[in-house]
Amino acid sequence: MNKITIIGVGNLGKSILSGLASSDLLNAKDITAVDKSKYNLKEVEEKLNVSTSQNIIESIKGVKWIILCVQPRQLDIVLQEIKEVLTPGQILISTVTGTSIKEINEVTPNNKVVRVMPNTGAAKKLSMTCISANEDVKEELGFVEKMFDTIGRTLIIEERLMQAATVLGASGIAFFLRFLRAMIQGGIQMGFHPHEAQIIAVQTAIGAATLVAKNGTHPEREIDKVTTPQGCTIEGLNEMEHQGLSSSVIKGVMASYEKINTIK
């Protein structure tokens, strides 16, 4: 019964499939991918050796875990299609932004629901996945963590923070990439060719993030190791702050958060 069906094999669905299929959690043949696109299904079947189907109803029979990896506008259509054949022991895992556990349970009242919010880093098994669930899923939550640990790192949070997690973790990818682009542009202006500037900036970003992740230190502690009195680093940092770097980032994050709370 510990089988998994993933409904929706877009970019995120493929990333989740890849992580699960290459892990020791279960056999690849115990994973079924469901999608309307024959091309998507053929791709994952050939690359990952998982089962595939275009029939949602058949694919969820005898399966414990059903991962809903569809667009928000498609979620209700899928739930309406499967609600009559769901059994109480089946657990729904939703990656859909903006739809609460309560809203899903209004359609499927007899099933436990988990909300997850991965990000596009999942494609390289570097996702930050936030997970939330009600108390009734406490026993099963450990396995959900293991599932999403296969594509990166996980953190269990309160459901009230899922919108914030979407901004910080999912939209955050775009925010960091925009800063990275600016660093590359600065490198070009200083004289590097674009590909050289990108190599330097990208590896520097990886190094900076890894220092904080591995050392468990606050970013300012790592900054202190780079700055010297009257040096060029502190000169650049102070000018960025004079131009509103930190303030702009915080305002951008909060603008995104305010927006997501108005989307329905």
Side-chain angles (χ1 to χ4, degrees):
M1 183 63 179
N2 210 33
K3 296 180 178 180
I4 297 172
T5 289
I6 297 183
I7 301 175
V9 192
N11 291 329
L12 179 58
K14 287 175 186 174
S15 297
I16 296 171
L17 277 168
S18 177
L20 290 172
S22 62
S23 73
D24 297 326
L25 274 182
L26 66 170
N27 191 293
K29 284 299 182 183
D30 289 330
I31 306 170
T32 300
V34 182
D35 201 277
K36 291 181 179 179
S37 168
K38 290 182 179 180
Y39 174 82
N40 283 347
L41 294 179
K42 182 179 179 182
E43 182 181 1
V44 297
E45 188 173 16
E46 291 177 350
K47 288 184 177 180
L48 306 175
N49 200 33
V50 299
S51 301
T52 60
S53 175
Q54 288 187 294
N55 189 319
I56 292 180
I57 301 302
E58 289 300 318
S59 71
I60 65 173
K61 291 180 179 178
V63 171
K64 180 172 182 178
W65 308 94
I66 301 169
I67 302 178
L68 303 166
C69 206
V70 297
Q71 296 294 322
R73 65 180 182 275
Q74 298 171 322
L75 179 61
D76 190 60
I77 296 170
V78 171
L79 291 176
Q80 293 297 336
E81 186 172 353
I82 67 176
K83 68 178 183 179
E84 299 300 332
V85 294
L86 288 172
T87 59
Q90 293 180 300
I91 299 172
L92 303 176
I93 301 174
S94 172
T95 69
V96 181
T97 304
T99 303
S100 68
I101 293 170
K102 181 180 178 182
E103 288 171 316
I104 294 173
N105 271 151
E106 286 174 356
V107 183
T108 60
N110 299 317
N111 296 91
K112 296 177 181 179
V113 177
V114 181
R115 284 182 68 185
V116 299
M117 178 48 60
N119 65 29
T120 55
K124 299 300 180 183
K125 297 184 181 180
L126 289 170
S127 174
M128 178 65 244
T129 304
C130 291
I131 303 170
S132 64
N134 292 336
E135 281 296 315
D136 62 350
V137 195
K138 193 173 182 180
E139 291 183 9
E140 295 90 353
L141 213 51
F143 190 75
V144 177
E145 285 185 275
K146 289 178 181 179
M147 274 195 271
F148 287 90
D149 279 339
T150 66
I151 58 167
R153 188 169 183 177
T154 57
L155 181 69
I156 295 175
I157 63 173
E158 297 175 51
E159 190 184 10
R160 67 180 181 84
L161 291 171
M162 284 303 282
Q163 303 291 69
T166 303
V167 170
L168 196 59
S171 301
I173 290 279
F175 301 155
F176 279 106
L177 288 173
R178 182 55 60 86
F179 181 81
L180 185 58
R181 187 190 75 171
M183 288 286 287
I184 293 168
Q185 289 174 321
I188 296 168
Q189 187 169 344
M190 289 188 292
F192 289 108
H193 291 289
H195 74 279
E196 295 173 329
Q198 180 162 321
I199 290 170
I200 295 170
V202 168
Q203 187 59 35
T204 301
I206 292 170
T210 303
L211 282 171
V212 174
K214 298 296 185 182
N215 293 343
T217 50
H218 190 280
E220 285 298 328
R221 290 289 300 275
E222 300 300 336
I223 288 173
D224 286 344
K225 297 175 185 178
V226 185
T227 53
T228 55
Q230 296 182 314
C232 61
T233 304
I234 192 64
E235 185 80 17
L237 285 170
N238 285 345
E239 181 60 26
M240 289 178 190
E241 290 302 327
H242 292 324
Q243 298 298 326
L245 175 65
S246 294
S247 179
S248 294
V249 171
I250 294 167
K251 285 179 178 178
V253 168
M254 293 310 298
S256 184
Y257 180 62
E258 289 168 11
K259 177 65 177 179
I260 199 173
N261 284 311
T262 67
I263 297 174
K264 202 58 185 167

